[in-house]
Amino acid sequence: MKNVLNYINGEYLPPVADRWIDNYNPSSGEVYGQIPDSDKEDVALAYQAAKEAFSSWSNTTLEERSQILLKISQLILDNLDELAKAETLDNGKPISLSKNVDIPRAASNFSFFAKAITQFASEAHESVGLQAMNYTMRQPIGVVGCISPWNLPLYLFTWKIAPALAAGNCVVAKPSEVTPMTAYLLGKICNEAGLPKGVLNIVNGLGHTTGQAIVDHPNIKAISFTGGTKTGAQIAKLAAPMFKKLSLELGGKNPNIIFSDCNYEEMLQTTVRSSFANQGQICLCGSRIFVEKPIYEKFKKDFVEAVSMLKIGNPFNTDSDLGALVSKEHLEKVKSYIESAKDFGGEILFGGKTVNVANHENGYYLQPTIIEVKSNQCKLNQEEIFGPVVTIMPFDSEEEVLEMANDVSYGLSATLWTQNLDRTMRMTKRLQAGIVWVNTWVLRDLRTPFGGVKSSGVGREGGFEALRFFTEPKNICIKYQE
Ligand code: NAD
């Protein structure tokens, strides 16, 4: 059994109430360890440790802070194999993804913010003629809460923690209860890197207990959350009367818009990835595919053929393109969407069935699934499924596809495939999304603002946006005599 403990004040601790939750291996369906079912008392201990560490950490020089974060980054890379295996075991994602994307990106999150903090600056405003000078101080908030989901476990956990620490805050963090393992291993790395005790504290447990206790804690003044839209709404409701600073990165139902003049081969290859990478469990996946009529039939045929070549299997096999879905509950949820397709005239063009993987018969495997739908108004196009399921639909005009792309409650990202510059300019301006990719997908530059509009969230992460979120601006106005 591989058990997880809380990481508080630099030490690994069992939960105060000694209650535990089973942790499943999605690729086999077996319990392989237990994690703390933490409550308010554990969060209180974590807060206390963070509070005590704050005065010293917020006064370290930027150089010192930066060096420690760079060391954490390097140690993540030094332990890449162990971390990648742990991520795949916990989440079911292909080992190739864990090794090449998730863990390297966690390292980059630390190295990026280690450097960004040395370049972060604030403004000065001279009140000309009034003999006064204003400058803005950007001070760390104090103790902040970071709560992350299961789809990109260490990747998103560190995407929050790294800027929070770089800005001089101390952190109480909670990884998803479904995928706690790599966050657990991060504690050891932080100790080895010399991160002072209490600067980062990791509490494990369920959302409505442990997560809620973090949000509810009166002295945890800011919450950075990534997860589902419903959860985001609950957090906002609880935090608003306490006037907490909130960053909410929520769900998506992203359009992938394909015009006939696109670079077809590149579009096809990328669309397979943007549909099914990580079993479609990425908030940025293009789950609504709209194809211009002249190439619709060709695309349908080629896309089905390309997707039929994808290999679903044990995520530890290096040639598996798709591994297991994260949990049995999630598999059931995704299946129920597929089963509902026929209720509104949807036609399954490929997939739709669970897959039996040899020696892993109880794992949560599902075929990549393509459903042709008749209307953007159907449930499959309006609700986030967050699994290996995409819909496809033809369109006639720019105006029509724009209306369908925007006619959804979400607004995280959009992808556009065209070689026409004027169309690119017109459409990128009008697409309701926080991020628009043109002729590519998830090409990330960590300096750019990341986040969504509408029900996809509030606020932006990434680059200086994250450092602004994790600091309070203070205006100092000095009057002087001439
Ligand atoms: P979730 O909302 O169920 O859980 C996310 C985290 O919040 C977990 O750690 C969970 O324990 C915690 N939580 C749950 N209820 C809580 C509460 N009441 N108070 C405090 N914390 C609580 O989401 P999930 O199922 O883990 O992740 C999938 C969702 O995340 C999808 O909707 C996906 O689109 C979204 N997501 C968004 C982004 C983005 O950047 N916008 C990135 C990845 C995933």
Side-chain angles (χ1 to χ4, degrees):
M1 293 288 263
K2 291 187 175 171
N3 292 340
V4 162
L5 294 166
N6 290 334
Y7 172 73
I8 297 175
N9 208 24
E11 285 177 38
Y12 282 111
L13 300 177
V16 173
D18 199 27
R19 279 195 308 268
W20 300 84
I21 307 165
D22 286 340
N23 191 17
Y24 285 81
N25 167 359
S27 71
S28 68
E30 284 158 11
V31 173
Y32 82 98
Q34 292 203 308
I35 79 161
D37 180 6
S38 307
D39 59 24
K40 271 187 179 164
E41 285 189 65
D42 302 284
V43 171
L45 282 180
Y47 168 75
Q48 195 55 34
K51 184 184 161 210
E52 280 163 23
F54 178 67
S55 151
S56 164
W57 179 246
S58 57
N59 280 303
T60 48
T61 63
L62 296 185
E63 180 60 18
E64 196 178 335
R65 236 184 264 166
S66 179
Q67 287 303 325
I68 293 174
L69 298 183
L70 285 173
K71 187 86 198 286
I72 296 175
S73 169
Q74 187 54 49
L75 286 169
I76 291 175
L77 292 178
D78 293 349
N79 290 281
L80 192 138
D81 272 355
E82 186 196 358
L83 288 165
K85 281 181 195 153
E87 203 70 295
T88 287
L89 186 66
D90 222 14
N91 173 281
K93 68 174 66 209
I95 189 76
S96 56
L97 265 189
S98 299
K99 267 194 178 156
N100 299 319
V101 179
D102 287 70
I103 307 305
R105 171 60 191 274
S108 302
N109 289 339
F110 276 104
S111 60
F112 175 83
F113 284 106
K115 295 175 214 157
I117 194 63
T118 67
Q119 304 300 312
F120 190 45
S122 60
E123 319 83 41
H125 301 89
E126 184 182 1
S127 302
V128 179
L130 298 175
Q131 286 82 43
M133 175 59 95
N134 292 275
Y135 65 91
T136 309
M137 278 183 89
R138 284 255 162 205
Q139 294 177 302
I141 295 169
V143 179
V144 300
C146 297
I147 302 176
S148 59
W150 50 255
N151 64 324
L152 301 165
L154 193 63
Y155 176 135
L156 288 176
F157 192 66
T158 53
W159 181 231
K160 299 183 174 305
I161 288 167
L165 297 178
N169 300 283
C170 291
V171 175
V172 176
K174 189 189 97 60
S176 168
E177 62 275 25
V178 191
T179 53
M181 191 51 84
T182 44
Y184 169 67
L185 298 173
L186 183 68
K188 291 184 198 169
I189 287 178
C190 289
N191 285 352
E192 205 182 325
L195 187 73
K197 284 178 184 201
V199 171
L200 171 65
N201 304 277
I202 303 172
V203 213
N204 290 279
L206 302 171
H208 67 275
T209 50
T210 320
Q212 190 160 321
I214 295 174
V215 179
D216 207 20
H217 195 292
N219 297 323
I220 298 181
K221 294 288 184 199
I223 303 289
S224 173
F225 168 80
T226 298
T229 294
K230 267 193 194 147
T231 316
Q234 283 166 7
I235 290 177
K237 202 168 163 185
L238 191 63
M242 290 182 270
F243 308 109
K244 294 194 181 196
K245 225 175 162 182
L246 281 184
S247 167
L248 303 173
E249 299 292 338
L250 311 176
K253 191 72 195 177
N254 313 305
N256 179 5
I257 303 168
I258 301 167
F259 282 91
S260 324
D261 69 348
C262 68
N263 177 337
Y264 190 83
E265 281 311 313
E266 203 178 328
M267 174 281 294
L268 188 65
Q269 271 181 28
T270 308
T271 294
V272 172
R273 227 165 31 87
S274 69
S275 302
F276 300 117
N278 205 35
Q279 298 72 246
Q281 302 167 143
I282 302 181
C283 53
L284 305 164
C285 277
S287 52
R288 294 183 294 148
I289 305 178
F290 299 106
V291 187
E292 203 180 13
K293 272 235 176 95
I295 60 164
Y296 185 68
E297 290 304 325
K298 174 174 167 52
F299 173 80
K300 224 162 90 170
K301 186 172 148 288
D302 294 345
F303 187 51
V304 166
E305 195 181 309
V307 171
S308 69
M309 312 283 278
L310 293 174
K311 203 159 171 227
I312 308 135
N314 180 348
F316 280 98
N317 293 345
T318 47
D319 63 346
S320 291
D321 297 303
L322 275 82
L325 269 65
V326 77
S327 67
K328 194 165 171 48
E329 297 70 42
H330 191 56
L331 174 70
E332 294 305 326
K333 179 188 144 190
V334 176
K335 269 168 51 189
S336 77
Y337 274 103
I338 297 172
E339 280 153 17
S340 76
K342 51 185 179 310
D343 300 346
F344 33 83
E347 188 188 343
I348 298 178
L349 301 180
F350 185 81
K353 298 194 181 66
T354 49
V355 180
N356 220 338
V357 170
N359 302 320
H360 286 72
E361 285 75 14
N362 295 321
Y364 317 132
Y365 300 93
L366 184 63
Q367 285 180 308
T369 302
I370 308 167
I371 306 176
E372 185 175 45
V373 293
K374 295 199 160 54
S375 155
N376 184 55
Q377 276 308 312
C378 73
K379 185 168 120 177
L380 291 178
N381 267 37
Q382 293 293 317
E383 295 179 16
E384 184 186 45
I385 302 174
F386 213 57
V389 181
V390 292
T391 66
I392 69 171
M393 258 187 88
F395 69 87
D396 278 309
S397 68
E398 217 174 283
E399 204 53 42
E400 180 196 6
V401 77
L402 255 175
E403 196 180 315
M404 291 195 290
N406 288 339
D407 188 16
V408 71
S409 64
Y410 296 101
L412 186 54
S413 71
T415 306
L416 181 62
W417 291 94
T418 180
Q419 307 268 24
N420 181 324
L421 182 60
D422 292 332
R423 174 190 286 144
T424 302
M425 298 307 292
R426 286 192 298 271
M427 294 207 42
T428 49
K429 224 165 153 180
R430 290 176 62 196
L431 279 165
Q432 295 169 357
I435 306 149
V436 182
W437 279 294
V438 182
N439 300 328
T440 185
W441 178 70
V442 190
L443 194 164
R444 293 281 293 124
D445 181 325
L446 302 189
R447 292 169 302 176
T448 58
F450 180 93
V453 298
K454 304 199 286 190
S455 301
S456 291
V458 179
R460 293 292 182 275
E461 296 184 325
F464 291 150
E465 296 284 345
L467 295 177
R468 283 188 201 105
F469 174 77
F470 283 117
T471 51
E472 278 294 356
K474 182 191 282 178
N475 170 228
I476 316 286
C477 176
I478 303 174
K479 174 102 172 80
Y480 59 91
Q481 304 296 326
E482 269 190 317

